[in-house]
């Protein structure tokens, strides 16, 4: 049960080539995982590339990418219900993409989508449907990771930052905590920032003075305004901002240097975040690859843990 509270900043969302700055310079965020490919989601993202989308239209686009295999068979009313918008908004969205209306858009999607409609999940109860949706999110993440370069780049940025601030508020606080917990086993100085307020700016300043060069952020819906403001502050302080968010259309994109998308499940009363959690572990692996003493640190921890009887065998 997720709602999108982003505001329209006039940013151009170039799905294949990143999100350009408001001045059109292109010197903004690099949005990853949206290159060309043969999957339905990749073809949809290519369709959206280069179009100027309003927040409502970005919400529709995000919903379409998440349900890429089903979208060619949905009516405008069904798509509106899926995205949580009005039916006229779907029509305006189709026109913004250059089609005469939604029927023309759907016809185009059917031409580039698989010929047969995927089997529905009507036999599944709501709990099973939530699990199936998360499985689909993980499949989509696997597709994005077919190109490992964005994650590898992020790993290099995080490994090189001493200290490494890891930031996440509200729904994303647990993701930040989990990453920081494991990262501290291999990185010499990890600083968890999971509380808001004016103090977070002080802690960013302290990290920059200590030599930090990058900040990792986990941002999940609903997006606190404070997260956007804090990332803008971090960029102004000179940090490279790496963000894990649920969508390339997230409002944090404009204040990130490298955005890695991992969708959340929205079928239950509260969102589920299996894909963002897994992407966080993938980032840990990439960071370890760029920390030459990571294995030695892990072995040292295991030795100390055994000596202390820390874990039950």
């Amino acid at each position: 049960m997720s709602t999108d509270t982003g505001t329209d900043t006039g940013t151009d969302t170039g799905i294949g080539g990143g999100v350009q700055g408001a001045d059109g310079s292109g010197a903004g965020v690099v949005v990853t995982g949206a290159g060309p490919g043969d999957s339905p989601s990749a073809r949809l993202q290519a369709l959206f590339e280069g179009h100027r989308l309003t927040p409502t239209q970005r919400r529709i686009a995000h919903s379409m990418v998440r349900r890429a295999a089903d979208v060619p068979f949905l009516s405008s009313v069904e798509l509106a219900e899926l995205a949580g918008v009005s039916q006229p908004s779907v029509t305006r969205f189709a026109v913004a993409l250059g089609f005469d209306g939604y029927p023309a858009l759907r016809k185009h999607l059917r031409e580039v989508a698989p010929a047969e409609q995927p089997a529905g999940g009507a036999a599944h109860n709501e709990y099973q449907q939530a699990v199936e949706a998360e499985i689909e999110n993980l499949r989509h993440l696997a597709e994005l990771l077919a190109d490992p370069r964005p994650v590898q780049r992020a790993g290099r940025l995080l490994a090189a930052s001493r200290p490494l601030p890891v930031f996440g508020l509200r729904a994303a606080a647990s993701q930040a905590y989990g990453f920081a917990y494991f990262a501290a086993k291999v990185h010499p100085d990890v600083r968890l920032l999971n509380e808001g307020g004016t103090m977070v700016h002080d802690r960013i300043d302290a990290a920059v003075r200590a030599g930090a060069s990058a900040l990792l952020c986990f941002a999940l819906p609903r997006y606190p305004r404070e997260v956007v403001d804090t990332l803008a502050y971090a960029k102004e302080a000179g940090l490279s901002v790496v963000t894990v968010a649920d969508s390339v259309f997230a409002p944090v994109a404009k204040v990130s240097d490298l955005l890695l998308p991992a969708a959340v499940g929205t079928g239950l009363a509260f969102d589920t975040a299996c894909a963002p959690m897994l992407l966080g572990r993938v980032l840990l692996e990439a960071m370890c690859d760029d920390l030459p003493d990571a294995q030695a640190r892990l072995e040292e921890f295991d030795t100390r843990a055994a000596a202390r009887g820390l874990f039950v065998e």
Side-chain angles (χ1 to χ4, degrees), residues 139-304:
R139 287 198 184 100
H140 187 210
L141 177 60
E143 292 175 5
L144 300 184
L145 293 174
D147 179 4
R149 291 173 296 178
V151 169
Q152 290 169 343
R153 177 189 169 196
R156 288 192 296 270
L157 288 171
L158 302 181
S161 184
R162 310 290 177 87
L164 172 61
V166 180
F167 176 53
L169 298 182
R170 294 185 180 267
S174 61
Q175 303 293 329
Y177 176 86
F179 183 95
Y181 172 79
F182 289 111
K185 297 182 184 299
V186 293
H187 191 288
D189 190 354
V190 178
R191 303 189 183 185
L192 176 63
L193 312 180
N194 61 351
E195 294 182 354
T198 58
M199 286 293 293
V200 73
H201 289 190
D202 294 343
R203 297 182 67 187
I204 288 174
D205 289 340
V208 170
R209 286 195 300 269
S213 56
L215 176 145
L216 173 62
C217 172
F218 288 87
L220 302 177
R222 300 172 66 184
Y223 303 96
R225 184 183 305 276
E226 189 174 10
V227 169
V228 178
D229 295 341
T230 299
L231 294 188
Y233 185 86
K235 283 175 63 70
E236 291 173 2
L239 295 177
S240 295
V241 174
V242 177
T243 301
V244 173
D246 79 305
S247 166
V248 296
F249 304 104
V252 291
K254 64 181 181 295
V255 284
S256 302
D257 296 293
L258 179 59
L259 188 144
L260 304 168
V264 301
T266 59
L268 301 176
F270 298 100
D271 290 348
T272 51
C274 295
M277 183 275 290
L278 182 55
L279 181 53
R281 299 299 186 268
V282 171
L283 274 175
L284 278 167
E285 186 75 10
M287 187 179 73
C288 286
D289 290 341
D290 275 274
L291 290 170
D293 56 348
Q295 186 60 40
R297 285 179 177 271
L298 285 175
E299 292 174 358
E300 180 184 356
F301 173 81
D302 285 342
T303 299
R304 292 199 310 268

Side-chain angles (χ1 to χ4, degrees), residues 97-110:
L97 294 179
F99 297 92
D100 292 337
Y102 181 73
L105 171 59
R106 187 170 62 175
K107 180 176 182 293
H108 173 78
L109 294 178
R110 288 179 175 179

